[in-house]
Amino acid sequence: MLFIVSGRDKADGMAGRLEHRLQHRAYYAGLGDDLILAGPYLDADGEPIGSMIVMRAASQEAAEKFAFADPYWTQGVFESLTVSRWDWFMKRPDGLSG
């Protein structure tokens, strides 16, 4: 199953984002092929204000357990974090299971 992990930064999130960026990226890189795509939400000036990750997991519970252990959440960079099951039905790459 595919899931969208959507985190929104606290108002002063940039300092924390820079401090924990390497850990955040390494954490999601650890998913290997189960990391489908990832990147930041940007404000009008092009500055990061959150993150969107599409990942594969066996269940909603597994996806939430993983997402809520992200350093951006545990270290207080994100103000909010949601995990939603997602169906990629248009322009889905051939062979992508989930």
Side-chain angles (χ1 to χ4, degrees):
M1 291 179 261
L2 297 176
F3 295 88
I4 293 179
V5 178
S6 180
R8 293 296 184 148
D9 295 359
K10 292 180 177 177
D12 59 349
M14 193 58 181
R17 182 173 273 277
L18 293 173
E19 181 179 351
H20 302 289
R21 179 175 281 160
L22 291 177
Q23 297 93 334
H24 165 75
R25 289 180 175 177
Y27 184 70
Y28 274 95
L31 285 172
D33 289 341
D34 288 335
L35 175 63
I36 308 303
L37 59 93
Y41 294 116
L42 304 175
D43 67 12
D45 296 322
E47 297 297 320
I49 56 170
S51 299
M52 187 194 86
I53 297 103
V54 178
M55 62 178 282
R56 185 183 299 110
S59 67
Q60 180 79 34
E61 180 181 6
E64 288 175 359
K65 182 177 179 181
F66 189 87
F68 283 98
D70 175 0
Y72 275 7
W73 178 255
T74 62
Q75 299 303 311
V77 177
F78 288 150
E79 179 175 58
S80 65
L81 185 64
T82 61
V83 180
S84 303
R85 189 165 172 199
W86 184 55
D87 180 16
W88 191 350
F89 72 94
M90 293 183 74
K91 294 198 173 199
R92 183 179 181 144
D94 291 337
L96 178 68
S97 64

